Amino acid sequence: MNIQRSERILESIPVGSLGIIPLPSCKEMGQKVNDYLVQWRRESLNEHKNTIAFQGYEQDSYLIEAKVPRFGSGEAKGILLESVRGRDLYLMVDVCNYSLTYPLCGHINHMSPDDHYQDLKRIIAACAGKARRITVIMPFLYESRQHKRSSRESLDCALALRELIDMGVDNILTFDAHDPRVQNAIPLHGFETVQPSYQFIKALLTNVHDIQADSDHLMVISPDEGGMSRAIYIANVLGVDMGMFYKRRDYTKVVNGRNPIVAHEFLGSNVEGKDVIVIDDMISSGESMIDVANKLKDLKANRIFLYSTFGLFTNGMEKFDNAFKEGIFYRLLTTNLIYQSPELLARPYYISCDMSKYIALLIDTLNHDASISDLLDPYERIHRFLKKYKDGQI
């Protein structure tokens, strides 16, 4: 990976001096990303890095301190504690980090996605148009589940994207968007939805050493028709079969804002005796994932690995604890793109997929105004890793 990075760096000069502003919701991830960038640029053999075009290229830290203090009424303001003039800025925000709180008229409020989004806008406003370029890295796309109109209702995700662009944001990077077509709201601006396929496969095979990645022993399942493309990509790159479940819903009722699922119908080849990867973009309450795992166990599947880019776990971990004890699934994997509670990290069945190095590589490449196309399609990297795994080098 570092060799590829060096080749990229030699091709172009940076857009501007690099600056990373992780909002409080993304502080830990921002620090990890910064550490990678500091190390890479210190070790870089770029012969031009001491010229004026590379001014500020090698620094002890690329983090720019920013604060969002709040008044007793709950109102807030964004403050930058150093200059951003001429900087190529990367703002990182985790709209799902409910662990942060603020006082409101004597009460303690947990921050909602709306609060995090407002804080992001406050920091953009504090930049006051002085930055060379602003890129927002928002792993979980704000309001991404409210992406289409089926009655007289708001289109929140499209509104948010338009608002960010109107405020001067040049590019938006997100991961595994619920529906990538929402980028139609800003067709003339940069919008990338990144799939963490390589990091998932790497985390799975590094932590579970006896998986046989072939069509006789492994299968990839999508829990619904919406995640088909995700499952097809992983199945193709692993060289295994795939299947899917069709969610039959009761459209005459609405429970907690959605139509309840009546049953999961399986479409696919025989899963008996095979290890199965169930892959989705997010785990919310977890009911759907566990129901699918139960159905697969009824079909005599062997070990079941549950993978989701975003683990929200809105109803806690009890359901997963019980399902694990009953042998319904073997391992649960999610990324660290959003907040991970201490309870989740302590679970014996949980595997975390670290995304900090990937984000650092994306930032490093974009700062040089180089193409990230090969980073968005990790087919070759996955195959190199699979070869090492099959050769016993992992």
Side-chain angles (χ1 to χ4, degrees):
M1 190 177 286
N2 286 347
I3 293 171
Q4 293 174 340
R5 174 189 170 278
S6 299
E7 289 169 356
R8 277 194 204 95
I9 286 178
L10 293 172
E11 292 172 3
S12 57
I13 64 173
V15 172
S17 182
L18 177 60
I20 302 171
I21 306 179
L23 272 74
S25 60
C26 231
K27 196 171 182 181
E28 189 178 331
M29 174 68 83
Q31 186 60 60
K32 286 183 178 179
V33 168
N34 178 66
D35 291 344
Y36 276 116
L37 289 164
V38 169
Q39 179 191 341
W40 290 343
R41 294 197 168 184
R42 191 171 290 151
E43 295 171 354
S44 171
L45 299 175
N46 194 311
E47 59 183 309
H48 304 293
K49 69 179 182 180
N50 293 320
T51 64
I52 192 168
F54 280 70
Q55 188 175 13
Y57 187 73
E58 191 177 317
Q59 298 179 37
D60 293 332
S61 174
Y62 299 98
L63 298 177
I64 295 172
E65 197 173 352
K67 291 183 178 178
V68 188
R70 288 185 181 266
F71 303 102
S73 61
E75 297 164 292
K77 61 180 177 181
I79 304 173
L80 294 175
L81 299 180
E82 57 186 281
S83 172
V84 296
R85 187 179 291 275
R87 303 286 285 265
D88 183 22
L89 293 184
Y90 294 82
L91 278 61
M92 300 173 64
V93 61
D94 172 13
V95 298
C96 295
N97 192 339
Y98 60 86
S99 71
L100 301 182
T101 59
Y102 63 91
L104 174 61
C105 298
H107 301 279
I108 296 297
N109 258 16
H110 283 266
M111 289 187 71
S112 71
D114 291 345
D115 291 318
H116 288 300
Y117 176 63
Q118 284 298 120
D119 282 358
L120 170 67
K121 291 195 295 180
R122 289 176 177 119
I123 295 299
I124 295 170
C127 294
K130 300 299 187 293
R132 177 74 52 84
R133 187 175 68 174
I134 295 178
T135 299
V136 167
I137 299 176
M138 186 186 288
F140 185 95
L141 187 60
Y142 174 70
E143 290 288 2
S144 56
R145 285 188 283 184
Q146 188 52 31
H147 63 286
K148 63 182 179 181
R149 182 177 279 155
S150 54
S151 62
R152 291 179 186 241
E153 57 189 20
S154 58
L155 287 170
D156 295 53
C157 190
L159 283 170
L161 293 177
R162 290 295 299 270
E163 193 171 20
L164 290 176
I165 295 303
D166 289 344
M167 290 186 74
V169 172
D170 296 279
N171 300 299
I172 297 168
L173 253 67
T174 190
F175 285 79
D176 210 348
H178 192 64
D179 188 341
R181 288 174 295 185
V182 76
Q183 68 188 286
N184 291 341
I186 51 169
L188 301 180
H189 291 81
F191 179 95
E192 299 290 353
T193 176
V194 186
Q195 294 291 338
S197 310
Y198 172 73
Q199 287 75 17
F200 156 61
I201 291 171
K202 185 177 179 181
L204 176 64
L205 299 183
T206 302
N207 286 276
V208 185
H209 300 289
D210 59 345
I211 292 176
Q212 292 178 267
D214 59 56
S215 56
D216 295 326
H217 301 93
L218 187 65
M219 195 166 174
V220 179
I221 304 290
S222 173
D224 56 37
E225 61 278 15
M228 280 282 287
S229 59
R230 193 179 298 106
I232 288 170
Y233 182 87
I234 295 289
N236 282 342
V237 83
L238 291 175
V240 300
D241 286 336
M242 67 120 352
M244 67 161 280
F245 279 86
Y246 168 66
K247 286 181 182 175
R248 194 147 50 84
R249 294 181 181 271
D250 183 354
Y251 288 99
T252 64
K253 299 176 185 173
V254 176
V255 179
N256 293 329
R258 61 181 181 176
N259 303 107
I261 298 167
V262 177
H264 286 92
E265 310 287 355
F266 180 65
L267 305 171
S269 57
N270 187 17
V271 300
E272 187 174 347
K274 292 182 181 179
D275 288 338
V276 174
I277 297 169
V278 182
I279 186 164
D280 206 358
D281 63 332
M282 71 178 76
I283 294 173
S284 187
S285 66
E287 288 177 16
S288 181
M289 272 285 205
I290 291 170
D291 194 19
V292 163
N294 271 307
K295 295 283 185 187
L296 288 168
K297 277 296 179 186
D298 292 342
L299 295 169
K300 300 181 180 178
N302 187 24
R303 294 179 300 182
I304 295 174
F305 300 91
L306 304 179
Y307 167 71
S308 175
T309 306
F310 305 108
L312 303 175
F313 304 108
T314 53
N315 292 351
M317 300 301 300
E318 190 178 351
K319 273 195 185 76
F320 289 91
D321 291 342
N322 294 334
F324 178 69
K325 285 175 188 171
E326 293 167 16
I328 303 300
F329 72 92
Y330 183 68
R331 290 291 182 268
L332 169 67
L333 299 92
T334 70
T335 69
N336 64 339
L337 289 168
I338 61 172
Y339 173 70
Q340 298 166 299
S341 68
E343 293 76 24
L344 172 64
L345 293 170
R347 292 301 190 267
Y349 52 80
Y350 179 67
I351 298 172
S352 177
C353 308
D354 184 22
M355 298 299 297
S356 54
K357 190 173 185 180
Y358 193 22
I359 292 175
L361 199 56
L362 288 165
I363 290 174
D364 195 34
T365 308
L366 288 170
N367 181 233
H368 280 265
D369 220 13
S371 172
I372 59 171
S373 297
D374 58 330
L375 293 177
L376 298 179
D377 184 5
Y379 186 85
E380 291 299 326
R381 277 184 295 152
I382 291 172
H383 269 273
R384 283 198 299 270
F385 184 83
L386 283 173
K387 187 176 186 308
K388 284 183 181 179
Y389 178 79
K390 289 175 180 178
D391 291 345
Q393 297 174 34
I394 304 299

